[in-house]
Amino acid sequence: MSISTYQRRRTTNSLMLSLCAVSAFLAVGVLVLILGFVLAEGISSLNIDLFTKMPVPEGEPGGGVANSIVGSLITIGLAAVIGIPIGIGAGIFLSEYAGHRLGDVIRFTADVLTGVPSIVIGIFVYGLVVLRMGNFSALAAGIALAIIMLPIMARSSEEMLRLVPHSQREAALALGISRWRTILSVVIPVAQRGLVTGALLAVARAAGETAPLLFTALGNRFLSLSVTGGPIDALPLRIYRYATGPYSEQQQQAWAASFVLVLTVFVISLTARLLLRRR
Amino acid sequence: MRWPWRTGNTGDAIARVIAVSLGLSVLVLAGLLIYELIDKSWQSISEFGLGFITGTTWDPVAREFGAAPAIYGTLVSSLIALVLAVPVSLGAAIFLSEIAPPWLRNPFSFLVEMLAALPSVVLGLWGIYVLIPWVRDFVEKSTLGHLSFIPLFSGPPFGLGMLAAGLILSIMVLPIITAISRDVMLAVPTSQREAMLALGATKWEVISGAVLPYCRSGLVGAVILGLGRALGETMAVTMVIGRGYNITASLFRPASTAASTVASEFNEASYGLYISALVELALILLVITLFVNIFARLLVWRIARSPGVIRE
Amino acid sequence: MTVDSRHQLEAAIMGYEMRIEHEPQAPVSEAEALAAGMVVRELNAWYGSCQALREVNLLVAPKRITAVIGPSGCGKSTLIRCLNRMHEVVPEARASGQVLLRGEDMYATGVDPVVVRRRVGMVFQKPNPFPTMSVFDNVAAGLRLNGFLVRRSRTVETVEESLRQAALWDEVKDKLNRPATELSGGQQQRLCIARALAVEPEVVLMDEPCSALDPVATLKIEDLMRELAKEYTIVIVTHNMQQAARVSDYTAVMMMAEDCAGEMVEFGNTREIFTKPKEKRTEDYITGRFG
């Protein structure tokens, strides 16, 4: 090997490794850039009114997004109540009961379902629930979000339950404990931290979704506490509405609301990851 | 764990029924989804037939609906996203997996994954007020604008349009391609790297000669999963793509994707055929993403990943 | 009872045969090792804060087989990996001391490990051919590194030559384009040997090359080693004393000290080490009283 070949190899090496480093910093840099903007714009418009007041007619100053926050809490709460138990149940099925073929089919279907565009889920629930009920509602929104959460919950719960060593199940069986009781009192408690993590991540995902809410919750300028009675607002919907509107007061509020939303999603995700790591 | 099916215990019998039905709920959901979409789009399907996919006019007033520009927009914007994101993602994944010292790896990976947790609507907000002005002023007016004799770069420099959509989509698929690629690379056995090193290879030669070839199907799977994500992305794209409904080579023109059309018009749709046409658009989108996702899953199927790590 | 006769008695009892095949060799001369072989001087190695090798000295005679034996955990693999600077690839691993190849210190500042690894080749415990490459491409892998463009005809010649040296040519000459994973375990290991030989190293290191193979494949590789020693300097790590006795000209014995650091106990002629060891620790190890 000649000196020049060797030099060429060394140069290529340095060049390519540097390019990779640049890419990594670029990827992180983009995040920092976006977060920075949301932070900067959002914090400057942040005030207590945001959390306590209702929206005012667009174009006028003042007001807040209290109804959106309440609406988000209601819809996500509904989604969690519906989606988490069914998701964990499906996970239990996959981990404890399913035969090889059926398990593989369900697992594959769940994985593919996670890739369905959320707007399609929104249309689905519109046809399934909204049309039948005759009106938009928090329930429809909750169902839509639950459908988004379900496959994620099922797969993550399954994997967490699988991590529980077989010896624990066998010990319970040897003591004469019935299978369902084993699952409830032995397997689930051992896996509980992982299950909670999975639930938190699914909730964080649902909290940021907008498209499915467009045709199920619709949005509402006023406060609504009703589950089935009519349209309800949500934070992502309000951000969308204000961001695409022409009024600068509302645009500022969109930034502030975004800040709140991003902060919430990040805090939930971070909590989930910290829980996972401390095992 | 395979337990004996019958235990003679009523509690177990009930529990089994519950578990089975919850497990099957996944399949039921998938089936219902497809059924409902076909049902609600039937009016449009029977009205337009295959012409729906090839038609280029979308005119609610004239009751004429053709999906071709929307499908075109979906595919082109996703393609742009991949062209921009894949090199950066792969480079970042290589950095995280092979180059970065262990203490840097975790924080960086964490940051990249946090990018995935950003709600789409917030990204769209940033897109409207930061990205679009930048695209308009820096890209369309100055640099690429000088190349306007190339059809790709012709068109009014508004900022919003296909290019902005492609850019914002690339930001959205970057984390998923990076994370899966990184996992796939980390799974390459050390013995492969050592074999290449022992022959006197530089670090890059080890990566390009031993690591990347070993996991290439996983990498392709990662890219295709990213594609699947890009195809279905709605809010951020809707907010920056404008509302042009046409098939054109120009990257600067406002455009539409299937998702953006449905998102913008569904609540305005005032009569049955209009709604049905929009649902059919959603159905087409579903079919495309299903194909892409199934293909990707078959490639990435065996790669172990921790649950809920990345938003898909 | 001398070690020799006691040992043969034990061997007979335990049912294996220890054959020491080589004529008594002259001890390794430092001059010879400096000129054409390898010299290790005061080598220390750490994984993080844990010392794995302490003040190891060794002379490796050129064109001979040197075996490194010792109980598990004593640092044999660490030592051999220091000989081609593979040790430092592990995060937080470092080494100090001198490793001289033909008199040049491989650990001197400014020496590129990439060059070291080309001159000192390595075969690993578990065969690790590149699964995405054919038999031919595997052997040629070292020749085709970035920018190292060789004429195709030259590559073909080198590949055939290496496969012949590795005693594999006849078995794979019709299968050169088949994936390397189609070969049996023993064949894969010989493929890895051919791959290492193709870049024309000066020394070939083998880290327990037969431990993942069946006895028949093992014997084939041992025969191969003796052939290769006519051209290459070979250092082999093995936990199998019979193998060391069968195959090597010189043997180095390592032991683990109380703090887990590996030490070189003694090295010399294989025959002398196994029949008249100078150190008590060596005698204990060889007679099975320890390790």
Side-chain angles (χ1 to χ4, degrees):
Chain A
M1 174 172 48
S2 61
I3 301 291
S4 67
T5 308
Y6 173 66
Q7 281 297 80
R8 183 154 30 114
R9 288 173 62 204
R10 282 193 66 158
T11 320
T12 312
N13 184 55
S14 310
L15 186 68
M16 295 308 292
L17 294 182
S18 312
L19 273 180
C20 291
V22 163
S23 306
F25 280 90
L26 188 63
V28 170
V30 165
L31 170 74
V32 169
L33 187 69
I34 298 175
L35 268 187
F37 253 102
V38 173
L39 229 92
E41 294 281 352
I43 286 193
S44 61
S45 326
L46 208 58
N47 54 43
I48 196 72
D49 282 353
L50 199 72
F51 296 92
T52 52
K53 297 226 173 110
M54 300 303 146
V56 296
E58 289 178 35
E60 290 177 30
V65 295
N67 64 334
S68 319
I69 296 179
V70 168
S72 275
L73 288 173
I74 295 179
T75 47
I76 295 174
L78 281 171
V81 158
I82 302 174
I84 293 179
I86 302 183
I88 294 185
I92 293 176
F93 174 74
L94 283 173
S95 147
E96 312 289 321
Y97 288 89
H100 215 52
R101 295 227 40 231
L102 183 60
D104 277 347
V105 168
I106 295 184
R107 228 168 269 129
F108 189 75
T109 309
D111 280 339
V112 171
L113 272 178
T114 55
V116 170
S118 56
I119 194 167
V120 172
I121 307 268
I123 301 254
F124 169 51
V125 175
Y126 174 82
L128 194 70
V129 178
V130 175
L131 281 184
R132 289 205 173 81
M133 272 176 66
N135 59 285
F136 298 98
S137 62
L139 181 64
I143 292 177
L145 291 180
I147 292 176
I148 292 178
M149 288 170 70
L150 176 62
I152 303 174
M153 277 302 312
R155 290 292 274 131
S156 79
S157 305
E158 182 204 352
E159 297 199 21
M160 288 298 149
L161 289 167
R162 274 191 192 282
L163 287 178
V164 177
H166 287 317
S167 52
Q168 308 243 6
R169 295 183 184 80
E170 284 163 356
L173 186 63
L175 286 171
I177 301 178
S178 63
R179 185 172 165 194
W180 69 272
R181 223 187 259 281
T182 307
I183 296 176
L184 232 48
S185 338
V186 174
V187 180
I188 291 185
V190 171
Q192 72 185 4
R193 186 179 277 167
L195 293 176
V196 168
T197 306
L200 284 176
L201 288 174
V203 165
R205 164 81 188 265
E209 287 287 346
T210 318
L213 300 177
L214 288 173
F215 322 126
T216 50
L218 187 68
N220 192 334
R221 238 190 71 200
F222 304 101
L223 178 67
S224 162
L225 293 172
S226 147
V227 167
T228 53
I232 189 169
D233 208 30
L235 211 49
L237 283 176
R238 190 125 303 264
I239 297 174
Y240 179 51
R241 190 190 190 84
Y242 281 358
T244 49
Y247 305 106
S248 63
E249 292 82 11
Q250 271 69 36
Q251 286 159 14
Q252 284 306 112
Q253 287 189 358
W255 283 110
S258 295
F259 175 71
V260 171
L261 184 61
V262 167
L263 194 65
T264 312
V265 167
F266 275 25
V267 163
I268 299 178
S269 299
L270 243 148
T271 315
R273 266 168 241 279
L274 283 178
L275 261 179
L276 204 58
R277 255 158 228 187
R278 253 208 289 134
R279 181 182 305 152
Chain B
M1 178 169 172
R2 297 293 299 277
W3 299 62
W5 273 114
R6 310 223 165 280
T7 59
N9 177 320
T10 38
D12 277 344
I14 298 175
R16 205 186 94 206
V17 166
I18 297 179
V20 170
S21 35
L22 290 180
L24 290 177
S25 68
V26 172
L27 297 179
V28 166
L29 186 63
L32 258 182
L33 176 67
I34 298 178
Y35 169 75
E36 187 70 37
L37 281 182
I38 295 181
D39 180 50
K40 293 293 181 294
S41 60
W42 195 250
Q43 188 180 1
S44 174
I45 295 176
S46 49
E47 172 87 14
F48 300 109
L50 276 175
F52 188 75
I53 302 181
T54 53
T56 53
T57 332
W58 188 272
D59 189 349
V61 173
R63 292 178 178 253
E64 231 189 280
F65 297 107
I71 300 176
Y72 174 81
T74 305
L75 294 174
V76 170
S77 59
S78 303
L79 189 68
I80 298 175
L82 284 185
V83 163
L84 294 174
V86 166
V88 177
S89 287
L90 275 183
I94 293 175
F95 179 78
L96 289 174
S97 145
E98 310 289 323
I99 304 173
W103 56 267
L104 191 58
R105 186 181 298 163
N106 281 339
F108 252 66
S109 301
F110 172 75
L111 284 175
V112 172
E113 287 173 19
M114 279 291 126
L115 188 58
L118 266 182
S120 171
V121 69
V122 173
L123 207 55
L125 175 64
W126 176 83
I128 295 180
Y129 294 106
V130 180
L131 186 68
I132 288 184
W134 180 79
V135 168
R136 182 185 61 222
D137 298 331
F138 181 70
V139 178
E140 292 179 5
K141 282 197 180 136
S142 349
T143 45
L144 294 181
H146 293 311
L147 299 170
S148 61
F149 51 89
I150 306 177
L152 213 59
F153 304 131
S154 61
F158 291 146
L160 44 73
M162 188 65 87
L163 183 61
L167 274 169
I168 217 161
L169 275 180
S170 69
I171 296 177
M172 303 199 81
V173 302
L174 190 74
I176 184 176
I177 301 180
T178 306
I180 301 182
S181 302
R182 179 207 62 206
D183 286 347
V184 156
M185 281 185 223
L186 283 174
V188 173
T190 321
S191 58
Q192 287 291 304
R193 293 188 188 82
E194 290 191 332
M196 200 47 119
L197 265 178
L199 293 172
T202 61
K203 196 174 190 87
W204 174 251
E205 287 162 353
V206 171
I207 296 172
S208 61
V211 177
L212 293 182
Y214 191 91
C215 61
R216 55 185 177 208
S217 62
L219 293 179
V220 171
V223 170
I224 299 182
L225 272 176
L227 172 64
R229 172 83 198 271
L231 290 171
E233 180 43 52
T234 311
M235 299 318 296
V237 171
T238 308
M239 290 158 93
V240 304
I241 201 170
R243 264 173 101 153
Y245 204 82
N246 44 47
I247 297 185
T248 160
S250 160
L251 287 179
F252 293 177
R253 276 195 206 281
S256 295
T257 64
S260 77
T261 309
V262 174
S264 335
E265 301 190 17
F266 198 77
N267 285 330
E268 299 168 1
S270 44
Y271 57 93
L273 186 62
Y274 194 178
I275 297 178
S276 188
L278 286 168
V279 177
E280 193 181 349
L281 205 52
L283 178 63
I284 294 176
L285 181 62
L286 176 66
V287 168
I288 298 177
T289 46
L290 273 185
F291 264 116
V292 167
N293 271 295
I294 291 179
F295 184 55
R297 288 283 163 198
L298 291 175
L299 278 175
V300 187
W301 191 228
R302 299 253 177 258
I303 317 278
R305 283 176 53 231
S306 47
V309 158
I310 204 86
R311 179 189 156 169
E312 280 160 46
Chain C
M1 210 184 217
T2 64
V3 175
D4 202 356
S5 47
R6 183 207 292 129
H7 200 51
Q8 282 171 337
L9 179 62
E10 279 170 349
I13 293 171
M14 292 216 253
Y16 60 75
E17 216 184 298
M18 255 194 51
R19 289 171 292 136
I20 300 169
E21 309 234 329
H22 303 281
E23 290 308 310
Q25 306 272 359
V28 190
S29 85
E30 181 157 355
E32 203 184 12
L34 264 177
M38 289 184 87
V39 176
V40 179
R41 283 191 189 139
E42 316 212 334
L43 181 67
N44 291 284
W46 295 265
Y47 289 105
S49 56
C50 173
Q51 184 157 18
L53 291 178
R54 179 170 21 247
E55 302 284 316
V56 169
N57 292 292
L58 179 65
L59 297 175
V60 177
K63 302 217 178 162
R64 294 276 186 265
I65 302 181
T66 303
V68 181
I69 63 174
S72 28
C74 69
K76 321 191 279 291
S77 281
T78 309
L79 170 61
I80 202 176
R81 289 168 69 99
C82 284
L83 295 184
N84 68 346
R85 293 191 65 167
M86 288 287 285
H87 168 76
E88 61 209 51
V89 167
V90 176
E92 312 236 324
R94 62 193 172 89
S96 76
Q98 289 186 313
V99 173
L100 307 177
L101 175 63
R102 291 186 193 270
E104 300 164 46
D105 184 10
M106 300 282 98
Y107 275 92
T109 46
V111 173
D112 189 354
V114 164
V115 177
V116 173
R117 293 177 199 136
R118 193 166 188 101
R119 296 174 66 186
V120 181
M122 189 167 211
V123 175
F124 297 85
Q125 188 168 341
K126 207 164 156 280
N128 53 7
F130 301 119
T132 57
M133 297 189 203
S134 65
V135 169
F136 184 91
D137 289 334
N138 257 281
V139 180
L143 297 171
R144 289 183 174 154
L145 296 171
N146 277 350
F148 199 29
L149 294 165
V150 187
R151 266 203 344 261
R152 170 86 187 171
S153 52
R154 181 78 212 288
T155 310
V156 171
E157 273 170 31
T158 312
V159 167
E160 179 177 335
E161 174 69 27
S162 310
L163 284 170
R164 283 190 192 280
Q165 284 189 324
L168 192 59
W169 173 251
D170 288 323
E171 290 169 59
V172 300
K173 61 180 184 241
D174 303 321
K175 298 192 220 171
L176 289 177
N177 290 320
R178 306 295 305 158
T181 43
E182 283 182 8
L183 303 181
S184 74
Q187 288 174 326
Q188 286 187 11
Q189 191 64 307
R190 278 179 281 149
L191 179 66
C192 292
I193 295 176
R195 179 177 67 187
L197 296 178
V199 296
E200 292 167 30
E202 295 163 48
V203 177
V204 179
L205 308 174
M206 302 199 183
D207 190 351
E208 306 206 30
C210 304
S211 59
L213 304 177
D214 62 79
V216 173
T218 299
L219 283 176
K220 279 199 189 147
I221 295 207
E222 288 181 9
D223 288 339
L224 175 59
M225 273 190 244
R226 280 200 289 276
E227 273 301 307
L228 289 177
K230 293 178 186 161
E231 285 225 24
Y232 302 92
T233 304
I234 301 196
V235 181
I236 156 174
V237 164
T238 177
H239 64 266
N240 182 336
M241 278 191 286
Q242 293 79 37
Q243 181 173 76
R246 281 194 295 271
V247 150
S248 66
D249 303 300
Y250 298 98
T251 299
V253 182
M254 293 189 66
M255 290 283 158
M256 187 160 63
E258 261 146 34
D259 62 344
C260 302
E263 296 173 331
M264 181 65 68
V265 172
E266 68 175 300
F267 63 85
N269 269 325
T270 297
R271 181 170 281 273
E272 283 183 25
I273 294 281
F274 280 101
T275 54
K276 286 178 277 181
K278 297 195 187 83
E279 299 277 334
K280 181 159 193 320
R281 281 195 286 175
T282 310
E283 187 187 328
D284 288 343
Y285 177 59
I286 287 176
T287 54
R289 222 182 283 145
F290 167 78

